[in-house]
Amino acid sequence: YINSNLEKVTADMNSRFLPVTNAQEVIIFATNEPTASPSLIRGNHLPSISPSASMSNSPVFAPSRSSPTNGTLSVKRECNQILEVEKPGKFTEVQVGIYELLMQSYTAEFGSMVSKPQIDTTCEVISQELAGGRRFLSRLLQTPKTLLIMKFTMEYESRYGYDVEDYPRLFQTYINSNLEKVTADMNSRFLPVINAQEVII
């Protein structure tokens, strides 16, 4: 299963914030020697396991969908998204990082359905600001809500022949068609978001 779904496995690792560029094939080694049991190192009390077999040079695989091009294809667009948040306040530096990684992870859900290394996505938050005062919110939304306006850029880059020119629009369409899922994804990553609204490019 793993070896037949390497792109999906890579995308799954990226969506869980593992710094993996490319997951390669699983190789199983047969050995007659028993696997060493864990033993504690006295200095730091960490378990150590001696490997039962060592790998030689790892195989290198060419991209499975397109041939490489001589140049790099890239596109970058500025985006805005309004988030209804639990209480007044901007995202912390850590929360901004989580937001950026989440936006990047959606690349595998549209277009050619691939992410790294075929398509490298970069989300960068430019600014964040709270929406206007209570009077403005009451007039606009009837009931006071705390809104956080996120301004960010989405950049898509490929050295493997993938046409990324339309990726910002595909990203916008995916987010705006899956707002409940996006909100749930933010909640599962401990972002204080009540309701994620549409992305505007």
Side-chain angles (χ1 to χ4, degrees):
Y1 175 82
I2 297 295
N3 297 351
S4 300
N5 296 274
L6 292 175
E7 291 181 1
K8 178 180 183 302
V9 172
T10 301
D12 290 344
M13 290 179 177
N14 293 155
S15 70
R16 290 160 176 80
F17 311 115
L18 294 177
V20 176
T21 301
N22 187 24
Q24 299 187 11
E25 290 187 341
V26 170
I27 301 174
I28 299 177
F29 293 90
T31 177
N32 295 324
E33 297 179 1
T35 303
S37 58
S39 61
L40 292 179
I41 300 176
R42 292 183 179 180
N44 53 17
H45 303 289
L46 295 176
S48 88
I49 302 178
S50 300
S52 57
S54 59
M55 293 181 60
S56 58
N57 293 334
S58 299
V60 178
F61 300 94
S64 58
R65 287 177 177 261
S66 299
S67 300
T69 60
N70 292 328
T72 298
L73 304 175
S74 65
V75 61
K76 186 176 183 179
R77 295 287 185 274
E78 186 174 300
C79 309
N80 290 276
Q81 185 180 33
I82 297 178
L83 305 174
E84 181 185 351
V85 292
E86 296 174 358
K87 59 183 180 180
K90 299 179 180 181
F91 282 171
T92 65
E93 184 177 347
V94 171
Q95 290 171 330
V96 167
I98 293 173
Y99 180 86
E100 291 173 339
L101 287 173
L102 180 60
M103 295 297 106
Q104 292 171 188
S105 72
Y106 291 128
T107 300
E109 303 297 329
F110 55 81
S112 298
M113 309 293 284
V114 296
S115 55
K116 287 185 177 182
Q118 290 88 348
I119 296 177
D120 190 10
T121 307
T122 302
C123 172
E124 181 180 4
V125 172
I126 302 172
S127 66
Q128 50 175 328
E129 59 180 306
L130 293 170
R134 183 177 297 272
R135 180 179 301 177
F136 168 80
L137 294 175
S138 297
R139 183 173 67 253
L140 181 66
L141 303 170
Q142 303 303 320
T143 56
K145 296 181 180 180
T146 302
L147 302 181
L148 182 62
I149 303 172
M150 305 294 294
K151 179 181 290 186
F152 59 98
T153 58
M154 293 298 299
E155 182 175 11
Y156 300 92
E157 184 177 287
S158 176
R159 296 185 298 274
Y160 296 96
Y162 291 89
D163 184 2
V164 294
E165 180 65 29
D166 205 31
Y167 262 61
R169 184 190 63 81
L170 294 174
F171 165 76
Q172 178 186 32
T173 300
Y174 177 82
I175 295 295
N176 296 352
S177 300
N178 296 275
L179 291 176
E180 289 187 5
K181 177 184 184 301
V182 171
T183 301
D185 289 343
M186 291 181 178
N187 294 156
S188 69
R189 289 159 176 80
F190 307 106
L191 294 178
V193 175
I194 297 174
N195 184 30
Q197 299 187 17
E198 293 186 345
V199 166
I200 300 173
I201 297 179

